[in-house]
Amino acid sequence: MSNATLATKLKPKAYKSGIKPVWCPGCGDFSVLSAITKALAHLALPNEEVAVISGIGCSSRIPAYVSAYGFHGIHGRALAAAQGLKAARPDLTVLVAGGDGDGFSIGGNHFIHACRRNMDLTYIVMDNEVYGMTKGQASPTTAPDWAKSKLTPHGPGVPSFNPAAIALASGATFIARGFSGDPNGIAKLLVEAIEHPGFSFLQILSPCPTFRPEQKEWKKVVHPFAQDDPTSNPVEAAQRIQADDGMSTGMLYRTMVPAWQPDNVATAEVEALEGEFKV
Ligand code: SF4
Ligand code: MG
């Protein structure tokens, strides 16, 4: 846990919209929202220079709660929309947010290719190992023997997706994990992720007390990564991931590779394209 509060140049409140979150009491996503506003306040980013893009799911409601540009898109397509936005508006700080179902199942292919494309985006996945919004189905990160859901009474039965391993294998240049019980720690990771010039992947263990009440115990089992500093060596990162129990938090991997940014997207071209599709 990170005890020291992140110093902020502006008030985090300046990044909160007037809309009250509709998450269940105790949902881990509240802390993530608070960490996002803290990180933006620390960086003193002008609201109009930030965009928060999401797909579908409980955590994907987050753009509505942040005072910035936002787009609540369709299921699994947050990264596709965000990369399009970044291509057209490289000046914006683009945060992409969503859950494990949205990001690793229907959006799994976008995840892989966003990692290898390495555009300058920050991808925040609030991972609760369940589809919360649609009432508790197993998601890609659900353990194979989890058998509490009426919809999967015998458990998913297949090994769970390992987001950090997939991100590393796909070419992500920044991989970190936080815990929503440690909002200061998440805020600090977010600042590093936003400042990283490339694709930053931040997995946040974010309990769903409604459909996974046992996740209230996560606070007792999360712990920092064995190594304090991230590695820039992918082989070493892979070894750390293999040795990890999935509950380690902190920075895992960071390497500097030039971010990919198409240089041929001009407003005039976009307008010409729009003209072609006019009905
Ligand atoms: Fe949060 Fe779970 Fe409620 Fe969704 S269902 S708002 S993830 S606690
Ligand atoms: Mg989920």
Side-chain angles (χ1 to χ4, degrees), residues 23-24 27 29 58 128 132 208-211:
W23 295 314
C24 312
C27 177
D29 298 349
C58 296
N128 51 19
C208 170
T210 299
F211 294 105

Side-chain angles (χ1 to χ4, degrees), residues 14-27:
Y15 296 92
K16 283 192 180 146
S17 77
I19 300 172
K20 205 166 167 248
V22 294
W23 295 314
C24 312
C27 177

Side-chain angles (χ1 to χ4, degrees), residues 59 98-102 126-133 139 141 206 208:
S59 53
D100 42 299
D102 179 81
M126 285 153 265
D127 189 353
N128 51 19
E129 303 177 0
V130 76
Y131 283 90
M133 180 174 268
S139 86
T141 50
S206 184
C208 170

Side-chain angles (χ1 to χ4, degrees), residues 39-264:
L40 294 175
H42 173 84
L43 295 166
L45 291 169
N47 303 57
E48 69 278 11
E49 290 178 15
V50 177
V52 187
I53 311 297
S54 72
I56 294 292
C58 296
S59 53
S60 289
R61 294 178 188 271
I62 229 161
Y65 308 141
V66 180
S67 176
Y69 283 115
F71 182 70
H72 187 176
I74 56 171
H75 200 202
R77 309 297 174 221
L79 282 167
Q83 288 169 104
L85 174 63
K86 189 70 183 177
R89 288 287 310 271
D91 54 308
L92 293 179
T93 294
V94 180
L95 309 183
V96 196
D100 42 299
D102 179 81
F104 303 143
S105 188
I106 190 168
N109 207 23
H110 292 298
F111 177 52
I112 292 169
H113 294 286
C115 289
R116 85 179 171 89
R117 198 166 286 123
N118 193 36
M119 292 185 86
D120 188 12
L121 304 167
T122 297
Y123 185 35
I124 307 155
V125 175
M126 285 153 265
D127 189 353
N128 51 19
E129 303 177 0
V130 76
Y131 283 90
M133 180 174 268
T134 47
K135 310 236 176 291
Q137 299 93 337
S139 86
T141 50
T142 305
D145 56 353
W146 180 66
K148 296 271 168 61
S149 169
K150 285 181 193 156
L151 296 158
T152 48
H154 306 293
V158 291
S160 46
F161 189 90
N162 185 328
I166 303 288
L168 180 69
S170 308
T173 53
F174 177 112
I175 303 171
R177 189 186 293 131
F179 170 50
S180 68
D182 178 19
N184 278 319
I186 308 171
K188 286 176 191 163
L189 289 173
L190 265 170
V191 167
E192 296 210 50
I194 293 169
E195 288 185 325
H196 175 74
F199 186 80
S200 322
F201 171 54
L202 179 53
Q203 178 192 11
I204 299 177
L205 305 172
S206 184
C208 170
T210 299
F211 294 105
R212 301 293 307 261
E214 71 279 15
Q215 291 174 346
K216 288 181 197 156
E217 301 301 307
W218 275 359
K219 59 179 178 296
K220 295 184 188 153
V221 291
V222 289
H223 54 88
F225 276 111
Q227 302 81 359
D228 288 338
D229 296 320
T231 177
S232 57
N233 179 333
V235 175
E236 200 185 322
Q239 286 165 344
R240 290 185 188 184
I241 291 168
Q242 287 307 316
D244 176 38
D245 62 357
M247 303 308 284
S248 310
T249 58
M251 285 283 301
L252 172 72
Y253 177 70
R254 177 165 50 191
T255 189
M256 292 298 170
V257 174
W260 186 75
Q261 179 66 42
D263 57 6
N264 57 353

